[in-house]
């Protein structure tokens, strides 16, 4: 069995930052493995460890060279090998909407022919939350979004999942394989990469491909969405912000809380 | 052309977002000069249909297929109705179920999709506003296409009002059973602990800013000094540091205490969904740009490890 896991490096913006055109000035941005993808990688590795058949876990990333640091993190946690797709056309494409990303991952999936695809529910930076289901539809796979429990029955070709709905209610569903599942945080307990894992990750295969390598042309990734602005929202906040040392601010807050009847 | 909105219901109840969508649909229909239609799929479609008869709605289509949400059925129903109506905009909810079918609908219809939209404008074309980098920034997106699909964030628009006399019409969907490859087998309530955070007057709510499980003692000390109950944002529950029934938010509990003290919580939309109804909201956070400050009444921009002990001291803890 083969499991394909999408792995994205996300931008994390500092507390204080400056906007530069349509992006955040590089000085204020660090990068990390998308939280939701971390759980997806862990789930794939756990399935691999529990299976009584050979399971290969392959990660796929649409992203620039910098994302390799993040991809190595996934390899260090147990993924077997990685594929990264990127080229100048993608750089120029600007905003990568879910359809564009799904189109690229679809091309990789067509080559890899996985039985199961795991993606994060959403990415922490652009938060579209739609790449997984778009991918499923394009591949003709079945799917489930926001999965927080997964039980595979390989014999029956079914994934029994829990989908976490709003308000503390879960939906139980049986999904036919092959499927794309978008993984919610909390489904497992992601491991830290061991030193041995980190060392091994260095020698694992990380294939870098261009659009052409995966059979796509620039026309395939023309996005109809154009980002036209980026700004800090005008705060509607009318919060009273206390200033001063911790003792001072705590004192002022304490007065307000007493006024509100707290601990009286 | 038309604007098509898609209602949502669960376990016999129309969800509030359905009426919010009608407000979005009405606004867009006014801006585009189109008719606004809505559709409800599955469940007690007649009752739902009557409830969806609101100002601005031309026709409420009812699709009598199944009791509960099944995405394979929803995709076919919305796609077939859209093929019949040729809408310029298909508007769906940015809910867990919305995200389970909207991308497939957009993909099937060949429409660009913008998700989690918080504002819309239609001049020459659709411009959608959404957030980026965890609500720290907003961005506008122009959609260069004749038609588009969008999912809108719950809670951003008022519920549509009025009774309007829209026509309620059944729409027959030709469900291809071979394309239904997922089956909903039931529902489960989660929780099961013995703390009821929905009942507390004062909540000290703790987020990822607390850093380590050991540090939780500090928050429990504060709660004790204030005679409050401890609740939390999701990452702490995901880490297994606290029981699930202490989670506040979209997938946790909705709370309405007199005072809600958010300690090291950024204020992600899914968290805010559970606590914005608190009377007085206090935020303690090192990040002055954290979205929690947008809804807070009182704020302290400082390290919680300095402020919380000082606060405990204040209350003689
Ligand atoms: C479908 C779905 C459902 C979800 N449901 C929920 C839900 O029900 N409830 C929920 O909470 N989340 C939910 N989430 C997750 C949500 O998107 C956020 O990831 C989560 O709320 C973030 O929690 P947080 O604010 O504790 O952590 P973070 O976003 O990491 O914020 C931590 C904050 O602590 C501050 N901080 C750090 N150190 C300090 C310090 N020393 N002193 C003071 N401040 C400090 C930081 O500035 C930051 O603002 C859901 C997500 C999805 C996709």
């Amino acid at each position: 069995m083969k499991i394909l896991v999408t792995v994205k490096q996300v931008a994390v913006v500092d507390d204080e930052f400056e906007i530069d055109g349509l992006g955040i000035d590089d000085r204020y941005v660090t990068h990390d493995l998308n939280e939701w993808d971390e759980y997806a990688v862990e789930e794939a590795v756990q399935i691999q460890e529990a299976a009584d058949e050979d399971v290969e876990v392959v990660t796929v990333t649409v992203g620039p060279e910098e994302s390799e640091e993040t991809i190595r993190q996934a390899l260090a946690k147990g993924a077997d090998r990685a594929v990264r797709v990127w080229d100048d056309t993608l750089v120029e494409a600007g905003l990568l909407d879910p359809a564009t990303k799904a189109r690229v991952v679809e091309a990789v999936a067509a080559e890899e022919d996985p039985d199961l695809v795991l993606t994060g529910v959403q990415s922490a930076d652009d938060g579209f939350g739609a790449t997984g289901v778009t991918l499923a539809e394009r591949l003709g796979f079945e799917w489930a979004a926001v999965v927080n429990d997964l039980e595979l029955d390989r014999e029956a070709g079914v994934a029994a999942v829990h989908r976490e709905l709003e308000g503390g209610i879960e939906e139980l569903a049986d999904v036919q394989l092959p499927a794309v599942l978008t993984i919610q945080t909390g489904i497992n307990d992601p491991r830290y990469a061991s030193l041995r894992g980190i060392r091994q990750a260095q020698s694992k295969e990380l294939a870098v491909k261009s659009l052409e390598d995966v059979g796509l042309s620039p026309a395939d990734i023309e996005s109809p969405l154009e980002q036209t602005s980026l700004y800090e929202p005008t705060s509607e906040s009318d919060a009273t912000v206390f200033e001063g040392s911790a003792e001072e601010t705590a004192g002022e807050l304490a007065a307000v809380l007493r006024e509100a009847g707290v601990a009286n | 052309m038309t604007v098509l909105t898609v209602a949502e219901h669960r376990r016999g109840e129309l969800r509030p977002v359905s009426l919010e969508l009608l407000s979005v649909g009405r606004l867009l229909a006014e801006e585009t000069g189109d008719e606004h239609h809505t559709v409800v799929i599955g469940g007690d479609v007649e009752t739902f249909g009557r409830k969806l008869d609101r100002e601005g709605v031309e026709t409420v289509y009812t699709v009598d297929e199944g009791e509960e949400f099944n995405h394979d059925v929803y995709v076919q129903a919305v796609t077939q109705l859209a093929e019949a109506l040729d809408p310029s905009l298909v508007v769906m909810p940015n809910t867990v179920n919305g995200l389970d079918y909207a991308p497939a609908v957009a993909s099937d219809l060949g429409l660009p999709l913008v998700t989690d939209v918080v504002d819309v404008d239609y001049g020459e074309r659709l411009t959608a506003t959404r957030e980026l980098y965890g609500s720290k920034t907003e961005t506008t997106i122009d959609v260069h296409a004749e038609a588009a699909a969008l999912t809108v964030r719950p809670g951003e628009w008022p519920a549509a009002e009025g009774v309007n006399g829209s026509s309620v019409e059944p729409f027959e969907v030709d469900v291809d059973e071979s394309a239904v490859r997922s089956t909903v087998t039931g529902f489960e309530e989660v929780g099961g602990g013995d703390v009821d955070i929905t009942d507390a007057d004062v909540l000290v709510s703790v987020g990822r800013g607390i850093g380590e499980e050991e540090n939780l003692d500090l928050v429990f000390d504060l709660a004790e000094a204030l005679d409050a109950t401890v609740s939390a944002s999701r990452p702490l529950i995901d880490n297994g540091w606290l029981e699930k029934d202490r989670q506040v938010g979209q997938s946790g509990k909705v709370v309405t205490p007199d005072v809600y003290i958010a300690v090291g919580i950024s204020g992600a939309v899914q968290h805010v969904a559970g606590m914005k109804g608190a009377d007085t909201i206090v935020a303690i956070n090192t990040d002055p740009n954290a979205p929690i400050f947008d809804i807070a009444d009182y704020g302290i921009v400082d390290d919680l490890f300095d402020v919380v002990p000082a606060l405990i001291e204040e209350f003689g803890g």
Side-chain angles (χ1 to χ4, degrees):
Chain A
M1 173 162 100
K2 192 189 279 186
I3 306 176
L4 194 64
V5 189
T6 57
V7 166
K8 185 185 175 188
Q9 184 179 61
V10 293
V12 182
V13 175
D14 290 352
D15 290 355
E16 308 277 356
F17 61 89
E18 281 170 39
I19 288 172
D20 178 16
L22 294 177
I24 307 276
D25 191 305
D26 280 348
R27 284 176 295 164
Y28 307 102
V29 181
T30 48
H31 293 97
D32 204 356
L33 171 58
N34 181 38
E35 189 179 355
W36 284 266
D37 295 352
E38 193 172 342
Y39 287 83
V41 169
E42 178 65 33
E43 195 62 20
V45 173
Q46 287 191 10
I47 292 170
Q48 181 186 54
E49 289 168 346
D52 41 21
E53 60 176 323
D54 269 350
V55 177
E56 190 185 24
V57 177
V58 183
T59 68
V60 51
T61 301
V62 183
E65 198 179 341
E66 297 90 87
S67 28
E68 293 198 356
E69 206 179 311
T70 298
I71 298 170
R72 295 278 174 211
Q73 261 173 272
L75 292 171
K77 286 165 184 263
D80 296 302
R81 61 184 172 85
V83 179
R84 177 173 75 82
V85 185
W86 197 245
D87 65 21
D88 289 345
T89 330
L90 283 160
V91 179
E92 283 151 26
L95 176 71
L96 292 184
D97 67 321
T100 310
K101 278 182 269 187
R103 185 84 191 81
V104 179
V105 178
E106 178 199 5
V108 174
E111 276 180 14
E112 295 286 347
D113 192 23
D115 303 276
L116 184 64
V117 182
L118 303 182
T119 76
V121 164
Q122 62 174 22
S123 51
D125 49 5
D126 63 23
F128 273 111
T131 304
V133 174
T134 308
L135 174 68
E137 186 66 9
R138 295 197 67 103
L139 286 170
F141 281 20
E142 197 33 76
W143 71 86
V146 195
V147 168
N148 72 346
D149 191 56
L150 166 60
E151 205 81 48
L152 276 187
D153 183 344
R154 285 282 285 152
E155 214 124 285
V158 170
V161 302
H162 288 210
R163 295 183 53 234
E164 191 187 66
L165 306 178
E166 293 86 357
I169 293 174
E170 295 182 1
E171 177 198 283
L172 282 52
D174 287 343
V175 178
Q176 284 178 29
L177 299 176
V180 178
L181 307 177
T182 82
I183 301 298
Q184 173 65 307
T185 58
I187 187 174
N188 53 39
D189 191 4
R191 71 195 67 192
Y192 289 100
S194 64
L195 275 176
R196 186 158 155 267
I198 293 168
R199 232 178 298 120
Q200 282 175 343
Q202 293 309 320
S203 55
K204 287 182 178 172
E205 179 189 334
L206 198 170
V208 183
K209 301 192 174 194
S210 66
L211 279 184
E212 203 184 323
D213 292 338
V214 296
L216 294 178
S217 73
D220 289 317
I221 58 151
E222 269 170 23
S223 165
L225 306 189
E226 184 197 359
Q227 185 190 338
T228 52
S229 74
L230 183 74
Y231 51 91
E232 284 185 61
T234 44
S235 172
E236 291 143 35
S237 166
D238 44 11
T240 306
V241 177
F242 301 121
E243 314 256 345
S245 69
E247 287 69 31
E248 286 161 0
T249 55
E252 292 187 71
L253 178 58
V256 168
L257 292 177
R258 283 203 184 88
E259 186 71 20
V262 175
N264 277 349
Chain B
M1 299 285 268
T2 62
V3 173
L4 176 64
T5 53
V6 187
E8 175 160 317
H9 60 88
R10 184 188 305 150
R11 300 169 112 186
E13 303 277 348
L14 207 55
R15 303 198 67 224
V17 70
S18 304
L19 298 182
E20 296 166 20
L21 283 180
L22 296 183
S23 294
V24 185
R26 182 180 180 191
L27 178 87
L28 285 169
E30 277 166 10
E31 289 183 357
T32 55
D34 292 337
E35 286 179 357
H36 172 206
H37 303 287
T38 194
V39 60
V40 58
I41 303 155
D44 182 359
V45 288
E46 278 188 25
T47 308
F48 295 152
R50 278 195 300 277
K51 289 191 175 151
L52 291 166
D53 167 26
R54 300 285 159 127
E55 244 169 278
V57 178
E58 198 77 22
T59 311
V60 182
Y61 290 99
T62 58
V63 177
D64 195 4
E65 289 287 347
E67 267 315 298
E68 288 291 348
F69 175 78
N70 174 300
H71 66 228
D72 294 315
V73 173
Y74 265 57
V75 172
Q76 295 189 45
V78 179
T79 308
Q80 287 177 28
L81 182 59
E83 277 161 357
L85 296 176
D86 192 23
S88 51
L89 296 165
V90 182
V91 187
M92 295 165 277
N94 200 76
T95 53
V96 171
N97 281 346
L99 289 174
D100 198 42
Y101 75 92
V105 167
S107 189
D108 274 359
L109 293 170
L111 301 178
L113 172 70
V114 195
T115 59
D116 203 16
V117 169
V118 296
D119 202 2
V120 285
D121 182 45
Y122 202 101
E124 301 272 292
R125 60 176 86 90
L126 178 71
T127 301
T129 305
R130 56 196 310 281
E131 293 176 344
L132 208 55
Y133 310 117
S135 304
K136 283 186 176 179
T137 60
E138 273 184 5
T139 181
T140 45
I141 290 176
D142 278 4
V143 184
H144 299 275
E146 289 285 300
L150 55 156
T151 68
V152 303
R153 181 180 290 181
E156 293 290 316
W157 280 270
E161 297 188 2
V163 178
N164 167 53
S166 344
S167 70
V168 180
E169 289 178 22
F171 181 81
E172 294 293 330
V173 173
D174 190 9
V175 177
D176 172 6
E177 290 296 337
S178 71
V180 178
R181 288 170 289 151
S182 73
T183 324
V184 178
T185 54
F187 292 94
E188 216 171 83
E189 310 244 359
V190 288
D194 47 14
V195 189
D196 186 3
I197 60 170
T198 63
D199 199 31
D201 295 331
V202 184
L203 284 172
V204 173
S205 208
V206 53
R208 182 143 53 189
I210 197 72
E212 308 277 337
E213 187 173 9
E214 299 84 84
N215 300 338
L216 279 176
D217 287 348
L218 187 63
V219 181
F220 279 95
D221 288 348
L222 177 62
E224 198 182 318
L226 299 182
D227 198 13
T229 305
V230 172
S231 60
S233 69
R234 173 167 192 134
L236 280 74
I237 282 82
D238 285 345
N239 285 347
W241 294 355
L242 289 167
E243 292 290 311
K244 176 99 190 166
D245 54 359
R246 291 196 195 253
Q247 180 178 321
V248 172
Q250 175 189 310
S251 46
K253 298 254 165 74
V254 174
V255 295
T256 50
D258 299 335
V259 178
Y260 187 87
I261 309 178
V263 183
I265 293 178
S266 63
V269 53
Q270 296 94 352
H271 183 79
V272 169
M275 46 66 74
K276 58 175 186 247
D279 273 352
T280 301
I281 297 169
V282 178
I284 302 171
N285 198 307
T286 42
D287 177 3
N289 292 306
I292 190 78
F293 287 116
D294 293 342
I295 57 156
D297 300 290
Y298 299 96
I300 296 177
V301 181
D302 204 348
D303 194 325
L304 72 91
F305 295 104
D306 295 328
V307 178
V308 174
L311 206 50
I312 294 171
E313 184 111 329
E314 280 287 335
F315 286 91

